[in-house]
Each structure stands twice: as structure tokens, then as C-alpha cells.
Amino acid sequence: MKLKVLSWNVCGLNDAGKRETLKSLLYKWKADVICLQETKIEDWSNRLALQVWGNRWTVWAELKSCGNNWGEGGIILWDKRQWSCSGIQQGSYTISCMLDDLQENFTWCFTGVYGPHTNSEREVFWSELAAIRGLWSDHWVVGGDFNVCRFESEKYNCIRRSKAMSRFSDIIQDLGIIDLPIQGAF
């Protein structure tokens, strides 16, 4: 099975023009599952989902932007003709969906993340990710904005590796995550 997942920190979707631009890019990229962080949208609706993806069969799971830690809101969208959702887990920094392929016998978990900016909050975040890993160990995809990088080359003007960067690398290894390279961006 070939699966195409798009994860993007959109830095706000309250502007209709920005939603239209995003819609045209999503049409071009033809992703199976879309995860958007920092949407700054308090309540998603069918109208908004249609404006963003342009697919009338879109369903979603969201973390509200009002007063949560998930970067001013986030959403995972998928096509209900392809996927059914058999479970959703919401945390402070994550949202996870167990998705079942309706054509093939394939189930997987997608976790969207928006990581905190402080080291003390990151430890809570790492524990939350480990708990999700414990719930759904098979076929797990994690995407989003961790708000920390692994290597000096990934951060502008970074000349040495911080403790947060080392800890992030340790978490990736401990949870058995494969760090895929970003395509088309820095």
C-alpha cells in the first residue's frame, strides 16, 4: 500500500484567500490524509473542511484552538470513502486517529503533533507520545511541528546541539520512529 500523508503548519486559516490557496495546493498534491497545525480556527464545520480540501466526503478530528496547547488548533482530515476512523485519542499536544482502509485489510494510526516550546512541557509531550505508542504499536505515522529539531543544520544560525535536540533524538530512537527527510522545504 502506498500512502500519502501531508502535514503542514499553516500559521492560521481564518482568511478565505489563504484557505483557497491551500485548497489548490491540496488538490495538486493529492494526499490521502492531511494534518494541519496552528489553524487558529476555533470550530471546524463542513463548510470550512470543504473550503480547505474541496472534498465533500471529508471527515476530520480536531483539537480546538481556544485555550489548548496544540498550537492554536489543529485538524486531521481524511476521505470517508477510503478510510473509516475506529478511534480518536486527544492529548494536550497530540491528536491520534486509528484509520482503517475500506478497500484493503490495513489499519494504521496517524498522530498529529504540535510540540511545546519549553523543556519542562516537552517532557509531558514525550510521555504523551510514549503513551500513544503503547496504545497503537503497529503502523504508526507521526507528523506535525515538534518545535525542536535534531541537528544543528536544521536550525538557522545554530552552531551547537542543545539538550532539547539530544533528547528529541533519544525519543525518536526510543519510540522506534523513523525520521523521514522533509521534501520541498527546509
Side-chain angles (χ1 to χ4, degrees):
M1 153 160 273
K2 192 171 185 174
L3 181 63
K4 193 170 185 181
V5 177
L6 173 80
S7 180
W8 191 358
N9 184 329
V10 293
C11 298
L13 285 177
N14 287 311
D15 178 61
K18 194 169 188 179
R19 288 192 300 270
E20 188 61 35
T21 300
L22 178 60
K23 179 180 174 180
S24 67
L25 291 171
L26 294 177
Y27 178 79
K28 177 182 172 183
W29 293 332
K30 298 182 184 350
D32 297 299
V33 175
I34 298 164
C35 177
L36 304 173
Q37 304 89 45
E38 232 178 318
T39 62
K40 300 183 181 177
I41 303 246
E42 288 185 30
D43 286 305
W44 278 86
S45 65
N46 287 331
R47 180 184 60 83
L48 278 173
L50 189 60
Q51 285 177 1
V52 168
W53 199 357
N55 178 343
R56 65 182 172 157
W57 296 281
T58 300
V59 289
W60 67 88
E62 70 175 307
L63 278 178
K64 308 280 186 189
S65 71
C66 186
N68 75 48
N69 293 324
W70 209 61
E72 298 296 325
I75 189 164
I76 299 172
L77 305 125
W78 63 91
D79 186 326
K80 67 181 177 184
R81 296 171 300 171
Q82 176 73 29
W83 307 100
S84 69
C85 180
S86 58
I88 296 173
Q89 293 287 325
Q90 294 185 351
S92 296
Y93 304 99
T94 63
I95 184 167
S96 299
C97 299
M98 181 63 81
L99 297 170
D100 304 301
D101 190 311
L102 297 174
Q103 280 80 40
E104 299 180 30
N105 186 18
F106 182 76
T107 300
W108 64 293
C109 175
F110 180 80
T111 300
V113 304
Y114 189 82
H117 296 275
T118 66
N119 287 333
S120 60
E121 288 178 299
R122 281 190 186 110
E123 288 306 314
V124 174
F125 173 44
W126 303 142
S127 294
E128 194 172 301
L129 272 179
I132 294 164
R133 184 61 165 163
L135 289 173
W136 290 323
S137 59
D138 293 336
H139 309 297
W140 184 39
V141 177
V142 183
D145 187 345
F146 287 84
N147 278 311
V148 64
C149 54
R150 294 181 70 195
F151 306 109
E152 298 89 334
S153 61
E154 297 173 341
K155 187 174 182 181
Y156 181 72
N157 261 353
C158 183
I159 55 172
R160 68 172 204 226
R161 198 161 192 223
S162 70
K163 288 181 183 178
M165 295 163 82
S166 294
R167 182 74 173 120
F168 184 34
S169 288
D170 292 344
I171 292 298
I172 287 172
Q173 184 175 354
D174 292 348
L175 297 179
I177 297 172
I178 299 169
D179 185 14
L180 299 175
I182 294 174
Q183 293 182 355
F186 295 104

